[in-house]
Amino acid sequence: MNPLPRTARIVFAGGGTGGHLFPALAIADRIREKLDGKSEILFIGTKRGIEYRMRDKLGYPLELINVRGLARTLTLKNLLVPFLVVGSLWRSAAILKKHRPDIVIGTGGYVSWPVLKTAARRKITTVLQEQNSYPGVATRQLAARAQRVYLGFEEGSQFLPETAPTLVTGNPVRKGVSEGDRTEAIKQFHLDPARKTILVLGGSQGARSINDAVIKDLKDNALDDEYQLLWQTGRGDYKDVVAELGDKADHHSLF
């Protein structure tokens, strides 16, 4: 790849969930730090994504496109997807024409596909960062045309075209993640400092299969009293998990 110019204009396309947004923020923060103010960074997302809910905390300007992925169940909303895709391609082209980026970085999620697709057509340098061992749809479809695909896991390369220029780097982590304070965390999550804590994490939206497995174990009394859970159920499952556990939910911290 060509070196970035003195003042780099960089567009990030990735979001919907924290699993796609936070790696992009980690990369953006590092670029801004490295270039010492000589960068112009823009994020592209959707109103449905976490990036929109966090827009006041992003620290970067946010442009929106209107696109969504296919629902996994039969629904009339799927009929709208082709029209949204066409519209998102037009909108992506308008944003890229306006901001004239030197490079577009995609970190996954359905928002990244139209932006990276448009950038490749306009011969803008495109880079993908894939967090998962099994790459998402956007990465699988766009990898062959990207200038580089950075992988969190080596096994991810076997699901991509042989011509894809992959490099295994691991996943980017935000600076503040390693600077946590245990005492403050115990207070924030109302944990018992005398008990051992198990973190249950199913990604930014949680994971239904993980939640179901933990519920079953708790109902079967598989967890000794010396342990407590710090359990990220995800927004969609939170109320159901609390209702399913009843009084058992009071002994753990769910969010």
Side-chain angles (χ1 to χ4, degrees):
M1 290 185 293
N2 296 326
L4 290 171
R6 186 171 182 81
T7 298
R9 293 187 296 271
I10 305 161
V11 166
F12 283 87
T17 71
H20 298 306
L21 176 64
F22 294 135
L25 286 172
I27 298 169
D29 289 347
R30 181 57 176 156
I31 289 174
R32 183 164 61 182
E33 179 184 323
K34 193 76 173 175
L35 296 185
D36 192 23
K38 296 172 183 172
S39 61
E40 298 173 8
I41 296 175
L42 171 74
F43 275 65
I44 298 179
T46 75
K47 273 194 173 183
R48 300 180 185 88
I50 188 176
E51 62 274 14
Y52 185 73
R53 298 195 298 273
M54 288 185 58
R55 61 191 181 279
D56 295 330
K57 301 178 181 178
L58 282 182
Y60 301 97
L62 174 68
E63 293 268 16
L64 299 175
I65 62 176
N66 188 16
V67 67
R68 64 167 40 149
L70 285 169
R72 298 186 182 184
T73 56
L74 290 176
T75 171
L76 292 176
K77 290 181 180 180
N78 281 343
L79 298 177
L80 296 175
V81 171
F83 299 98
L84 293 177
V85 168
V86 172
S88 68
L89 289 169
W90 280 96
R91 174 66 176 151
S92 297
I95 294 172
L96 296 180
K97 182 179 180 180
K98 174 184 175 183
H99 292 277
R100 297 179 293 114
D102 302 295
I103 184 171
V104 177
I105 301 173
T107 57
Y110 51 79
V111 67
S112 67
W113 187 89
V115 180
L116 272 291
K117 186 77 171 177
T118 303
R121 286 177 178 173
R122 297 174 70 89
K123 301 189 184 305
I124 300 170
T125 298
T126 59
V127 167
L128 297 167
Q129 193 282 319
E130 176 57 55
Q131 307 88 41
N132 303 301
S133 58
Y134 178 65
V137 174
T139 300
R140 297 199 306 272
Q141 292 189 358
L142 298 168
R145 298 190 64 182
Q147 276 64 54
R148 181 71 73 187
V149 183
Y150 294 100
L151 297 175
F153 298 91
E154 185 173 0
E155 53 265 41
S157 61
Q158 65 184 299
F159 302 105
L160 302 177
E162 291 184 3
T163 56
T166 61
L167 180 65
V168 181
T169 59
N171 285 319
V173 178
R174 288 170 295 151
K175 209 170 185 179
V177 171
S178 61
E179 299 172 354
D181 183 282
R182 185 175 187 273
T183 302
E184 287 301 315
I186 287 172
K187 290 180 181 178
Q188 180 179 342
F189 292 105
H190 308 290
L191 297 170
D192 182 350
R195 299 167 71 192
K196 296 177 181 178
T197 303
I198 298 173
L199 173 64
V200 179
L201 190 67
S204 61
Q205 297 188 96
R208 178 61 61 86
S209 58
I210 292 176
N211 291 340
D212 288 344
V214 175
I215 288 172
K216 182 179 183 303
D217 284 346
L218 290 178
K219 285 187 171 183
D220 292 343
N221 296 314
L223 195 67
D224 294 337
D225 289 339
E226 64 179 304
Y227 295 96
Q228 62 192 338
L229 298 181
L230 179 56
W231 180 1
Q232 186 200 45
T233 65
R235 294 176 66 192
D237 283 358
Y238 178 80
K239 290 182 179 179
D240 291 340
V241 169
V242 172
E244 187 77 20
L245 288 178
D247 293 340
K248 289 183 180 292
D250 297 333
H251 301 289
H252 309 283
S253 181
L254 281 60
F255 66 102

